[in-house]
Amino acid sequence: MHYENEIEMEVLGKALRAIQREAGVHLEITEETVRYGAHQIDVVLKLNPWGKKLFAEIKKWAPQANLGVLVDQVRRMPGEGILVADYINPNMAEKLRQEQIQYIDTVGNAYIKQPELFVYIKGNPAPKKQYEKKPDAAQRAFEPKGLVLVYAFLCYEWIVDQPYRTIADRAGVAVGTVGWVINALKAGGFIRKAEWNAGRKLVNHKELIDRWVEAWPQKLKPKLQLGEFQTEDFLWWEEIDITEYNGYWGGETAAAKYTKYLTPQEVTIYLPKKELANLLREARLQKADDRGGTNTYKVHIYERFWPKATEYLDNGYDEERGLVHPLLAYADLLATGDVRNVEAAKNLYEQYIERELIPED
């Protein structure tokens, strides 16, 4: 068994024993590593004696994870989900409960809400044993430069099989970066030889997307920040043609335009650094400060990290609208951990990402 899988099964075993000890709840493993349609499920559990089926997402080092990503992954289960983790701290426990995400951990913290059963335990101290992180063969692909290239592979999958120079031009990275990222993705099981020729093929799309989305707010996004600004005009963004600044709406703003689901409370923009002063002047944006009251609205501006292109996914929407790719908008939303945004992210995932970026095997 792979080391990572061994750890996951150890986490699961301890969590099952802990919930039995703390609350007398018996959860039985009925299936392991099983596919339900496009979903790869870690474990399927049965809540006895009622026989309720729960789809488990097992997470090592859960406190270090993006909460929005965890919530979204559990909600995307093909049935009712439950998070199984090494440790859920009190702050995370409360947020998960508010989001109605069931969980158990290895020290007995738990939230299970069923018609026949309600359990809510938080505050049990962290386990003394911390799981050692082993080297990850694909890890280099999820460092800043690697994330730029992986993003391009996910948005423009056809370039995976192209010469290194073509890949570098489309992704906006150095040619030297391409080789080591491809090697890391091969080692991690995300690129393999194509059946139809001697070229390369992207595989395990869902896992690759999840890993990119998890790493994005930690490894790359902070390096791109150009500043936080504010305005008193709630709808200022509706009057701006962001493409005049070679810019793109991200986060809540992009989601609002893609899905009509969300009214943005904060605005996210990606644009070339040289255009920042022009946008601030024309939009009358001020540097954000702590004095901003209820009538001020935040604007987060980041440097664009991809070359300008003319098409996305070949499905009828493009950069001419001044919107970031749905994948980036989805990652932005989850990174906030906000309830509204996590729900909007789920909508984006189902409408665009699942349909266009995750082919059926």
Side-chain angles (χ1 to χ4, degrees):
M1 181 182 290
H2 190 276
Y3 175 80
E4 296 297 323
N5 293 335
E6 288 181 347
I7 291 184
E8 289 183 354
M9 295 310 295
E10 183 180 348
V11 167
L12 176 63
K14 287 185 175 181
L16 295 181
R17 292 190 292 272
I19 189 63
Q20 175 83 48
R21 180 184 68 247
E22 294 286 324
V25 174
H26 178 54
L27 287 164
E28 174 189 353
I29 300 172
T30 61
E31 297 176 90
E32 296 181 27
T33 316
V34 61
R35 293 195 70 86
Y36 279 72
H39 298 270
Q40 178 78 34
I41 308 301
D42 291 334
V43 169
V44 180
L45 302 174
K46 183 169 68 173
L47 178 61
N48 290 321
W50 303 279
K52 180 63 178 287
K53 180 184 290 187
L54 297 173
F55 294 86
E57 177 74 22
I58 304 174
K59 286 292 181 183
K60 312 172 294 293
W61 314 290
Q64 302 175 35
N66 182 313
L67 181 64
V69 172
L70 285 180
V71 170
D72 183 64
Q73 289 175 349
V74 175
R75 284 183 175 169
R76 281 196 271 114
M77 291 292 186
E80 190 169 348
I82 185 168
L83 173 65
V84 180
D86 57 337
Y87 176 61
I88 303 293
N89 63 47
N91 182 54
M92 178 177 282
E94 180 59 23
K95 289 181 179 179
L96 290 171
R97 185 191 65 81
Q98 290 174 1
E99 294 280 357
Q100 295 297 296
I101 299 297
Q102 300 179 103
Y103 66 82
I104 58 175
D105 74 6
T106 63
V107 292
N109 296 304
Y111 174 66
I112 300 175
K113 186 178 182 182
Q114 297 292 326
E116 309 87 355
L117 176 70
F118 180 78
V119 176
Y120 183 40
I121 303 171
K122 69 174 183 177
N124 285 348
K128 294 180 180 179
K129 176 184 176 182
Q130 300 296 318
Y131 294 100
E132 180 184 356
K133 287 191 176 183
K134 292 292 185 179
D136 178 359
Q139 183 57 45
R140 290 192 72 191
F142 301 100
E143 297 300 326
K145 291 181 180 179
L147 288 170
V148 172
L149 183 51
V150 172
Y151 177 77
F153 283 161
L154 290 169
C155 295
Y156 308 105
E157 187 172 344
W158 62 269
I159 69 171
V160 174
D161 194 32
Q162 297 299 304
Y164 280 15
R165 174 63 66 184
T166 302
I167 293 174
D169 289 344
R170 174 50 67 102
V173 299
V175 175
T177 299
V178 177
W180 60 257
V181 173
I182 285 179
N183 288 336
L185 291 175
K186 285 180 178 179
F190 296 111
I191 288 180
R192 68 179 181 215
K193 184 178 179 181
E195 293 86 352
W196 53 87
N197 59 23
R200 296 176 292 270
K201 176 185 178 182
L202 201 64
V203 294
N204 295 329
H205 295 71
K206 179 180 177 295
E207 182 183 351
L208 183 59
I209 289 170
D210 285 345
R211 289 202 59 177
W212 190 90
V213 170
E214 288 176 1
W216 157 249
Q218 302 172 15
K219 297 294 185 68
L220 181 56
K221 189 174 185 178
K223 296 179 179 295
L224 301 171
Q225 188 172 38
L226 296 178
E228 290 191 358
F229 304 89
Q230 63 189 31
T231 178
E232 295 183 357
D233 183 358
F234 178 58
L235 297 176
W236 70 274
W237 56 274
E238 291 188 345
E239 307 298 324
I240 293 289
D241 180 0
I242 200 66
T243 63
E244 292 183 359
Y245 308 92
N246 292 311
Y248 303 86
W249 303 113
E252 297 179 33
T253 322
K257 289 177 176 287
Y258 273 130
T259 68
K260 311 300 181 187
Y261 176 86
L262 194 66
T263 300
Q265 300 298 312
E266 297 188 358
V267 171
T268 299
I269 297 171
Y270 294 85
L271 81 173
K273 188 174 182 180
K274 65 181 181 180
E275 297 284 359
L276 178 62
N278 294 331
L279 175 64
L280 296 180
R281 181 176 61 253
E282 295 299 325
R284 299 179 181 179
L285 301 178
Q286 303 295 321
K287 191 75 174 177
D289 58 48
D290 296 333
R291 294 173 296 175
T294 57
N295 294 325
T296 59
Y297 304 94
K298 288 286 183 68
V299 182
H300 307 274
I301 303 182
Y302 299 89
E303 187 170 10
R304 192 183 80 200
F305 63 91
W306 66 95
K308 184 174 176 61
T310 56
E311 77 284 337
Y312 276 155
L313 310 181
D314 299 324
N315 69 349
Y317 56 91
D318 56 41
E319 284 190 328
E320 299 306 316
R321 296 173 59 189
L323 303 181
V324 300
H325 191 286
L327 174 61
L328 181 52
Y330 168 73
D332 280 342
L333 292 171
L334 291 183
T336 69
D338 181 85
V339 176
R340 296 165 51 256
N341 290 345
V342 172
E343 189 62 31
K346 181 175 181 290
N347 190 293
L348 259 182
Y349 186 92
E350 293 172 348
Q351 187 172 342
Y352 292 103
I353 296 170
E354 192 169 46
R355 292 181 183 180
E356 303 295 341
L357 299 187
I358 306 178
E360 293 185 7
D361 293 336

